[in-house]
Amino acid sequence: MQAVILAAGVGQRLGAEAQQRPKSLLEFDGISLLARHLHILAHYGIEHVSVVTGYEHAQIEAALLASNNTLKLDISTLYNPEFRLGSVISFHTAAPILTSGDDVLLMDADVLYDMHMIDRLIKTRHANCFLLDRDFIPGDEPVKLCVQNNRLIDFRKRIDKNLRFDFQGESVGFFRFSAAMATGLIERAKAYIEADRNTEPYEEIIRDALLADTTAFGFEDVSGLAWIEIDFPEDIERARQEILPAITLPQSIST
């Protein structure tokens, strides 16, 4: 199994808080989000990690070089020079990994989270798996997962008001895909690019695959595990005050 971390975005909504750094290099207790990803993946035996870069890619490459001095990981970068054009292109940039014939963990880089979320993805019985958190505040910002009869039936920020479902949860932004599904997603991404749909969120590609066959996907309910996606300045403060004290980390970070 390999891991892909999507870290190409500019993070414009953070404003001055970003300080001309990629969001993945924001530090909490002196440790960047990117370094936390690497330590957690190494802890669970993921040896091959690819990072899709774009904005300030040289900073990320330098940070990865420093991390690789202490972690036994095969780390590579995939540069998206068109990172300002949308996340679909960044997703497609990961094609060499997603079509490699391995199962893949796909992860957004801008998440601070409890390490047990990765444990759940690795140990899941589902070949293609979402992480779902029922404890979220409804609104337009969360990417929602809708469940009916214990099956996922939709996945996006704005859900059709007429859709019937048993419950909703927020997507963490981490996924597990089988080799076959990963290859199929890249084919869909290529079609998006050819149709000039670059500006749509890459999650729409995954949604298309879900709607094409809801039986192909499952989910793990991670409600109760602490996490936060860093999008706005207030997220940074909440991460420091609420999330950091509540998360479990590998010993390689916490000591």
Side-chain angles (χ1 to χ4, degrees):
M1 183 183 296
Q2 301 191 50
V4 172
I5 301 173
L6 299 177
V10 177
Q12 290 179 324
R13 294 181 294 183
L14 280 178
E17 293 287 347
Q19 299 178 344
Q20 294 186 312
R21 289 179 297 176
K23 284 198 289 183
S24 62
L25 297 186
L26 291 174
E27 293 187 351
F28 297 90
D29 279 355
I31 306 168
S32 72
L33 294 175
L34 182 59
R36 291 168 181 272
H37 286 309
L38 298 177
H39 279 267
I40 291 170
L41 291 169
H43 175 82
Y44 286 111
I46 304 298
E47 297 179 350
H48 304 286
V49 181
S50 298
V51 182
V52 178
T53 66
Y55 176 67
E56 295 292 345
H57 63 96
Q59 292 187 37
I60 293 178
E61 289 165 3
L64 290 172
L65 183 61
S67 294
N68 215 18
N69 290 332
T70 57
L71 294 173
K72 295 180 179 179
L73 288 172
D74 176 15
I75 303 175
S76 62
T77 58
L78 299 163
Y79 176 56
N80 170 21
E82 299 180 310
F83 59 89
R84 295 185 186 275
L85 298 183
S87 62
V88 167
I89 298 177
S90 291
F91 183 88
H92 188 265
T93 300
I97 309 304
L98 294 174
T99 60
S100 67
D102 287 340
D103 288 2
V104 179
L105 301 183
L106 180 74
M107 309 169 66
D108 288 338
D110 57 353
V111 182
L112 178 67
Y113 60 99
D114 189 293
M115 62 184 282
H116 290 105
M117 289 192 172
I118 301 303
D119 186 53
R120 299 289 289 277
L121 271 184
I122 290 173
K123 294 180 179 177
T124 184
R125 62 183 177 83
H126 304 293
N128 304 293
C129 186
F130 294 78
L131 294 183
L132 177 152
D133 184 358
R134 299 195 195 203
D135 301 326
F136 76 105
I137 299 174
D140 289 340
E141 189 60 28
V143 179
K144 303 166 192 70
L145 289 160
C146 300
V147 179
Q148 185 178 53
N149 296 326
N150 206 38
R151 179 182 295 177
L152 293 169
I153 59 170
D154 209 349
F155 167 59
R156 65 180 358 175
K157 285 188 175 183
R158 296 189 177 184
I159 302 296
D160 186 334
K161 63 181 181 181
N162 296 316
L163 182 69
R164 299 173 64 89
F165 52 84
D166 297 328
F167 66 89
Q168 282 185 333
E170 183 175 3
S171 171
V172 174
F174 297 166
F175 314 89
R176 176 175 177 162
F177 301 123
S178 68
M181 179 60 70
T183 296
L185 291 171
I186 287 299
E187 293 173 356
R188 292 178 183 275
K190 182 180 179 181
Y192 266 61
I193 293 170
E194 291 173 348
D196 198 25
R197 297 175 66 184
N198 303 337
T199 59
E200 297 187 40
Y202 80 87
E203 289 91 348
E204 286 295 297
I205 298 168
I206 304 172
R207 178 178 184 264
D208 287 350
L210 170 66
L211 296 184
D213 183 5
T214 59
T215 66
F217 291 85
F219 66 91
E220 294 290 338
D221 189 332
V222 295
S223 304
L225 292 178
W227 69 283
I228 188 170
E229 182 179 8
I230 309 296
D231 283 327
F232 302 100
E234 55 266 32
D235 294 333
I236 294 177
E237 185 62 23
R238 181 172 172 236
R240 290 172 176 155
Q241 298 298 323
E242 299 179 29
I243 306 302
L244 271 177
I247 61 177
T248 304
L249 298 170
Q251 188 174 9
S252 60
I253 292 179
S254 56
T255 58

